Amino acid sequence: MPTADTPPAHSPATATGPARDGKLSAGLTTPKIVFLVVAAAAPLAAMVCTVPLAFALGNGPAVPAMFVLAGLTLTCFCTGYAAISRHIVNAGGFYTYIAHGLGRPPAVAAGLLAVLSYNAAAAGLLGSFAYFAHLTAASHGIDLPWQAWAVAGAAAVATLGYRQIDLSARVLAIAITCETGILLLLSAAILARHHSSALPATAFTPHTLTAPGTGVTTMFAFISFIGIESAALYSEEARTPQHSVPRATYLSVCLIALFYGFTSWTALGALGPDNARTTAAGQLGDLFFHLSDDYLTTTLTTLMQILLCLSLFAGWLALHNAANRYMHVLGREHLLPRALGHTHRRHNSPHRASLTQSAFTLLTATVFTAAGLDPYLGLTTSMLGLGTLGIIVLQAGACLAVIGYFRHHPERHWWRTALAPALALTGLTTATTLVVLNFDTMTGTHNPVVTTLPWLILAITLLGPAYALWLRTTHPHRYTRLTHPTTTAPDTNAADTTGTRPRTTAEPEATAVDATTRTAIGN
């Protein structure tokens, strides 16, 4: 039963934004969405930057097992996430799902937190890209300041984000193929030299999994999966969203978990379980480059360094696309400036939100530059740390939303909509606790300005519902028109052969407001 705080769950939706101007293009297939999602995780960057830290600061030999554990937890998350995505088609992702599962007040908080988190993460990857591009180019005689690489990268991201999403998907497909290919080649070389000892069984023994440092290792494993939830953001741009979004979500988390687990396992085999921690502590970000020198060639190592920059750029672009879709939806809902809810007439892209996101990343980089802070140890660690924590909190909130949405739903299922999201909630709550407790370890600094950033997340979770309740009191019609998705009965067998798709919130409805909505307004 819908109330004033929960949108109608089983009725057609009303249009909530500009009729045609808010409409996104619909041309994404499942493979393209997978590339968009996997790119946000930046697999090569995760291996090069995160695995050495997990080896050095956590429980070194347990790293492969923790990737598998995180993957299993997030598979449970994706089970519920995919279930709700078959019923709700909207580019609002967490914002829309939480509205329908928990109500509008927490949804407003979720939407604002998503805007903060994805924008912060995108700004963090700007710092990473600029830092490593500067180092890589300088080692080959091109000594430009990191700020020049930041501006060049921002211009490229802004151009791709401004245009239709298909172009970004093609660019990301090339990046993902190259960056995963070089790491698989390295793993194959390690296996060829060490044979079965390249996959040490000690990584999965109970003694290893219960050794000191496992909590820090688990934290690094979870943060390496950031972005796997973003498939739902492209539901309005998918040809068959009820099919492609769930499939892309499952495929993405399974591929990433298997890739992370296998690559870190062979790296552990190359280093030796007893030497992994000390070797990683001494080499850190150069660890995989040293492995490449040893098992491949220096030429391929140079290629890996270049592909690392490409991986960071791809992750930056993917998070840029996610951030601007949240801003677009909240602009369409009038929770942010309405101009952000407009789409480009030719590209059908959220071009104004894209330009705003690009301006935010450049402004953030400018502030850090003016403060004399390092692009990696300052900008990247703080912004990426904040974004990562916010996204994990949102994932946990989505698990609660799935349980709430299907609580009295006729298609409620004991595993897909109850136990799986409950297990995921347990794992994600643990991950949130670990990140908060080890925020200084994750960001690599004890600077009080950085270590107090998690309080921003708490502030938004409190102020968001307060803002929603203020809207309910002062602007009830605006309030009741929030988060109206297209809700449809799932058809898991039928394929979309007509070229049509479910109507989304950005498209016009034949009737102004349905009876259920009028009831909600009356409440």
Side-chain angles (χ1 to χ4, degrees):
M1 173 68 71
T3 68
D5 290 329
T6 306
H10 310 296
S11 61
T14 62
T16 63
R20 290 292 177 187
D21 191 35
K23 180 182 177 182
L24 297 167
S25 61
L28 291 180
T29 59
T30 299
K32 289 180 179 179
I33 297 175
V34 170
F35 284 126
L36 288 163
V37 173
V38 174
L44 178 57
M47 292 295 99
V48 171
C49 302
T50 304
V51 168
L53 289 172
F55 279 149
L57 301 177
N59 176 8
V63 170
M66 291 302 102
F67 276 125
V68 174
L69 176 63
L72 290 173
T73 301
L74 291 169
T75 299
C76 292
F77 163 79
C78 291
T79 299
Y81 204 65
I84 198 170
S85 70
R86 290 189 176 96
H87 292 263
I88 300 173
V89 177
N90 187 278
F94 290 129
Y95 164 67
T96 307
Y97 295 163
I98 288 175
H100 283 257
L102 302 178
R104 290 185 178 94
V108 172
L112 295 175
L113 179 56
V115 169
L116 170 69
S117 300
Y118 283 98
N119 275 288
L125 283 183
L126 176 150
S128 291
F129 168 79
Y131 176 78
F132 284 104
H134 165 70
L135 290 182
T136 302
S139 67
H140 294 87
I142 306 174
D143 193 8
L144 295 175
W146 72 266
Q147 291 90 344
W149 292 105
V151 172
V157 167
T159 300
L160 292 168
Y162 188 89
R163 298 174 64 85
Q164 192 170 350
I165 191 64
D166 272 20
L167 179 59
S168 292
R170 294 189 191 101
V171 172
L172 294 175
I174 296 171
I176 294 300
T177 302
C178 293
E179 62 181 282
T180 55
I182 191 71
L183 284 175
L184 289 174
L185 185 61
L186 174 60
S187 295
I190 294 171
L191 282 168
R193 183 183 299 183
H194 296 288
H195 305 292
S196 59
S197 60
L199 301 172
T202 186
F204 296 90
T205 61
H207 174 73
T208 299
L209 298 179
T210 56
T214 301
V216 175
T217 304
T218 304
M219 175 192 72
F220 280 118
F222 271 98
I223 66 177
S224 299
F225 283 85
I226 291 305
I228 57 96
E229 74 291 329
S230 58
L233 298 178
Y234 305 104
S235 59
E236 290 184 24
E237 296 161 276
R239 291 179 184 173
T240 55
Q242 281 88 352
H243 300 87
S244 54
V245 170
R247 289 171 185 168
T249 302
Y250 277 120
L251 280 172
S252 298
V253 72
C254 290
L255 289 173
I256 293 172
L258 290 172
F259 180 77
Y260 285 173
F262 177 68
T263 304
S264 61
W265 201 7
T266 56
L268 179 66
L271 298 172
D274 295 331
N275 301 321
R277 178 174 292 179
T278 55
T279 304
Q283 297 178 1
L284 290 179
D286 291 327
L287 177 64
F288 275 85
F289 299 139
H290 285 299
L291 289 175
S292 178
D293 283 339
D294 188 9
Y295 290 89
L296 299 175
T297 66
T298 54
T299 300
L300 287 176
T301 300
T302 300
L303 177 61
M304 183 182 288
Q305 292 170 340
I306 295 171
L307 290 176
L308 172 61
C309 299
L310 181 62
S311 174
L312 291 166
F313 176 82
W316 179 8
L317 175 59
L319 290 173
H320 167 88
N321 284 327
N324 66 38
R325 272 150 185 79
Y326 272 114
M327 290 191 291
H328 168 74
V329 169
L330 265 62
R332 204 167 65 186
E333 302 271 274
H334 304 165
L335 292 172
L336 290 179
R338 298 183 183 185
L340 296 175
H342 293 281
T343 53
H344 195 278
R345 289 187 177 182
R346 187 175 68 175
H347 302 306
N348 296 118
S349 62
H351 63 301
R352 294 182 180 176
S354 175
L355 292 174
T356 302
Q357 203 289 315
S358 297
F360 172 82
T361 56
L362 285 175
L363 178 61
T364 303
T366 301
V367 171
F368 275 80
T369 301
L373 297 174
D374 185 84
Y376 189 74
L377 298 178
L379 175 59
T380 294
T381 58
S382 58
M383 291 295 98
L384 203 53
L386 175 62
T388 295
L389 178 57
I391 292 170
I392 294 175
V393 170
L394 287 167
Q395 289 173 343
C399 292
L400 282 174
V402 171
I403 296 171
Y405 179 80
F406 285 101
R407 184 179 179 184
H408 300 296
H409 197 284
E411 294 185 26
R412 183 178 184 271
H413 186 270
W414 70 271
W415 169 251
R416 290 193 302 271
T417 65
L419 183 56
L423 292 173
L425 176 63
T426 302
L428 290 166
T429 302
T430 302
T432 300
T433 303
L434 290 171
V435 171
V436 171
L437 293 177
N438 297 282
F439 197 74
D440 55 347
T441 300
M442 184 177 71
T443 58
T445 180
H446 294 282
N447 187 317
V449 175
V450 175
T451 55
T452 55
L453 286 175
W455 289 101
L456 285 175
I457 295 174
L458 179 61
I460 289 178
T461 58
L462 296 176
L463 294 176
Y467 177 47
L469 295 175
W470 176 80
L471 278 179
R472 188 175 69 178
T473 302
T474 59
H475 300 85
H477 289 272
R478 277 180 56 191
Y479 179 81
T480 52
R481 289 168 66 87
L482 295 178
T483 64
H484 276 280
T486 296
T487 52
T488 60
D491 182 4
T492 55
N493 297 317
D496 188 350
T497 58
T498 64
T500 61
R501 65 187 180 96
R503 183 173 51 249
T504 66
T505 59
E507 299 177 49
E509 176 89 14
T511 60
V513 182
D514 65 11
T516 308
T517 303
R518 284 194 292 270
T519 302
I521 293 173
N523 292 337

